[in-house]
């Protein structure tokens, strides 16, 4: 029975991934709920250290010690991946759930030609064993599909012979080699120049249009989000603090953190000699998170209630959720900082 487009192909429920260190427990992902729909892109944004990449790695069940998923559900087409054995999960990775890792320069083994990971992927997930010649032909086809020139010759090249943009295309080809239902793209344009970034994003959109793949895009680039995502989840200190359609996030953000991120985006009409607005302060130490709202020490609208209670993520409009007691109206100018340390 075909998957309904009204149902998420990937659903993350109350996910908690903690790191158990000598100094204490770090709740890197602390009760996160996300949904990815077929043929749509969910953008997950936030500062470094907010839990974006750990969420993606948790969905793939690739979190290594001292990290551990301690609670929650990861449902792929209704099947809870956390209940599968490691052998069963290895059959889901690549075939049903693909991932573009954050750093293309180090994601390919320098000892093997680039055809090897492609051939390995297609051979591992076919029902019948694929002859090596057929696997090589499929690797060449995949390289051509992501725009690698002269794919027959390039298939036998080594990673050090490829540019950063070409390595990223190869990683996309590996991730899409078995046409997964969900693709997790962790900073897919990191360290690439603007022209190559545009090519990579155009490629992802074209492939999504052809295959109906749902994409979870992890990024800190709000411009990329505005152009490529359908819905957005904003994370801060391990929690989702706002979630809405991309239009609502940019036009009517309701959380002070989201508003601060948007004000910090460079604008063409910004006065040349005036500094860009910034979010004051630092992300809290994950070993010593504040009581109440985790954004309280950096928030211009903090109240006594914010310092005592943790605001729940609740509806503030149709399909729009925010975890804020105040929910200030958004203005492009930055308010004065009133948060206490």
């Amino acid at each position: 029975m075909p998957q309904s487009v009204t149902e998420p192909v990937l659903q993350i429920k109350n996910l908690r991934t903690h790191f158990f260190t000598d100094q204490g427990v770090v709740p890197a992902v602390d009760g996160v709920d996300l949904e990815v729909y077929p043929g749509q892109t969910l953008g997950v944004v936030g500062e470094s250290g907010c839990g974006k990449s750990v969420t993606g790695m948790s969905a793939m069940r690739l979190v290594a010690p001292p990290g551990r998923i301690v609670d929650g559900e990861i449902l792929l087409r209704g099947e809870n991946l956390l209940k599968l054995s490691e052998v069963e999960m290895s059959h889901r990775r690549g075939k049903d759930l693909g991932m573009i890792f954050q750093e293309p320069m180090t994601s390919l083994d320098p000892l093997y030609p680039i055809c090897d990971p492609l051939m390995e992927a297609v051979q591992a997930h076919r029902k019948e064993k694929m002859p090596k010649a057929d696997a090589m032909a499929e690797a060449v086809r995949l390289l051509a599909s992501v725009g690698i020139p002269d794919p027959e010759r390039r298939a036998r090249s080594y990673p050090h012979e490829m540019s950063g943009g070409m390595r990223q295309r190869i990683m996309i080809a590996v991730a899409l080699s078995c046409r997964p239902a969900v693709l997790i793209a962790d900073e897919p344009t990191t360290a690439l120049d603007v022209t190559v970034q545009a090519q990579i994003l155009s490629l992802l959109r074209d492939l999504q249009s052809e295959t109906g793949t749902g994409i979870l895009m992890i990024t800190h680039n709000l411009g990329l989000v505005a152009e490529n995502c359908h819905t957005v989840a904003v994370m801060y200190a391990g929690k989702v603090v706002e979630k809405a359609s991309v239009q609502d996030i940019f036009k009517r953000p309701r959380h002070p953190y989201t508003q601060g991120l948007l004000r910090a985006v460079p604008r063409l009409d910004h006065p040349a000699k005036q500094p860009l607005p910034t979010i004051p302060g630092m992300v809290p130490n994950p070993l010593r998170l504040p009581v109440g709202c985790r954004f309280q020490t950096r928030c211009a609208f903090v109240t006594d209630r914010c310092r005592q209670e943790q605001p729940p993520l609740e509806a503030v409009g149709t399909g729009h959720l925010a975890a804020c007691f105040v929910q200030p109206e958004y203005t492009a100018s930055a308010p004065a900082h009133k948060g206490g340390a």
Side-chain angles (χ1 to χ4, degrees):
M1 187 175 180
Q3 179 85 10
S4 169
V5 295
T6 61
E7 298 176 358
V9 65
L10 177 69
Q11 195 169 13
I12 296 173
K13 294 184 177 181
N14 194 36
L15 178 65
R16 299 179 190 277
T17 301
H18 295 177
F19 287 79
F20 297 85
T21 72
D22 293 339
Q23 290 75 37
V25 178
V26 175
V29 177
D30 197 17
V32 165
D33 295 284
L34 298 173
E35 302 83 27
V36 179
Y37 288 85
Q40 295 195 4
T41 299
L42 166 67
V44 180
V45 302
E47 293 170 280
S48 296
C50 71
K52 307 186 301 295
S53 293
V54 176
T55 299
M57 296 293 280
S58 298
M60 294 290 291
R61 276 187 48 185
L62 291 175
V63 177
R68 189 170 77 243
I69 299 172
V70 298
D71 197 10
E73 295 179 299
I74 301 171
L75 304 176
L76 180 65
R77 295 194 181 110
E79 179 183 41
N80 189 356
L81 300 181
L82 297 183
K83 292 186 177 181
L84 301 181
S85 68
E86 182 54 38
V87 172
E88 291 172 323
M89 186 63 200
S90 69
H91 292 304
R92 302 297 187 277
R93 295 191 196 102
K95 182 180 179 182
D96 300 311
L97 195 60
M99 186 166 187
I100 304 170
F101 293 94
Q102 188 167 356
E103 181 47 73
M105 297 298 185
T106 58
S107 296
L108 295 169
D109 193 323
L111 299 179
Y112 295 93
I114 62 171
C115 62
D116 270 39
L118 290 163
M119 293 171 64
E120 182 180 0
V122 297
Q123 287 180 307
H125 295 294
R126 298 295 173 110
K127 292 182 179 179
E128 298 179 0
K129 184 171 178 59
M130 178 182 285
K132 186 175 181 179
D134 292 348
M136 184 63 175
E138 180 66 7
V140 171
R141 187 195 68 79
L142 287 164
L143 291 176
S145 74
V146 296
I148 298 292
D150 194 5
E152 292 85 358
R153 181 176 64 86
R154 286 293 190 177
R156 294 173 174 82
S157 299
Y158 286 81
H160 73 272
E161 300 176 284
M162 317 291 281
S163 68
M166 292 179 75
R167 292 191 208 186
Q168 190 67 299
R169 288 172 184 265
I170 294 162
M171 293 305 302
I172 292 172
V174 172
L176 293 174
S177 59
C178 296
R179 302 171 76 90
V182 177
L183 176 66
I184 300 172
D186 190 357
E187 300 283 5
T189 59
T190 296
L192 303 179
D193 62 58
V194 175
T195 302
V196 177
Q197 284 185 27
Q199 293 172 348
I200 295 296
L201 294 171
S202 176
L203 172 63
L204 285 176
R205 287 194 298 269
D206 291 344
L207 293 174
Q208 184 181 54
S209 177
E210 293 173 11
T211 63
T213 297
I215 297 178
L216 192 159
M217 184 175 290
I218 298 168
T219 183
H220 62 272
N221 187 330
L222 289 174
L224 184 154
V225 167
E227 189 174 347
N228 296 278
C229 297
H230 299 84
T231 53
V232 184
V234 181
M235 289 188 67
Y236 184 79
K239 286 187 170 293
V240 174
V241 296
E242 188 161 10
K243 184 162 56 173
S245 69
V246 68
Q247 293 87 356
D248 277 352
I249 285 290
F250 281 83
K251 291 182 179 179
R252 292 175 291 276
R254 303 300 297 273
H255 196 283
Y257 179 60
T258 309
Q259 295 177 0
L261 291 177
L262 290 172
R263 292 190 189 99
V265 175
R267 299 168 56 99
L268 290 175
D269 59 356
H270 188 80
K273 295 185 179 181
Q274 183 176 326
L276 283 173
T278 61
I279 301 175
M282 297 289 291
V283 177
N285 185 331
L287 290 169
R288 293 187 293 275
L289 292 170
V291 176
C293 177
R294 294 180 180 181
F295 188 61
Q296 60 173 277
T297 59
R298 308 173 71 188
C299 183
F301 306 96
V302 63
T303 66
D304 288 341
R305 186 184 182 190
C306 302
R307 296 187 179 98
Q308 297 168 4
E309 302 177 36
Q310 191 170 100
L313 187 67
E314 56 188 8
V316 296
T318 304
H320 194 151
L321 306 175
C324 181
F325 294 127
V326 181
Q327 299 170 29
E329 290 297 322
Y330 176 63
T331 57
S333 59
H337 175 55
K338 298 191 298 181

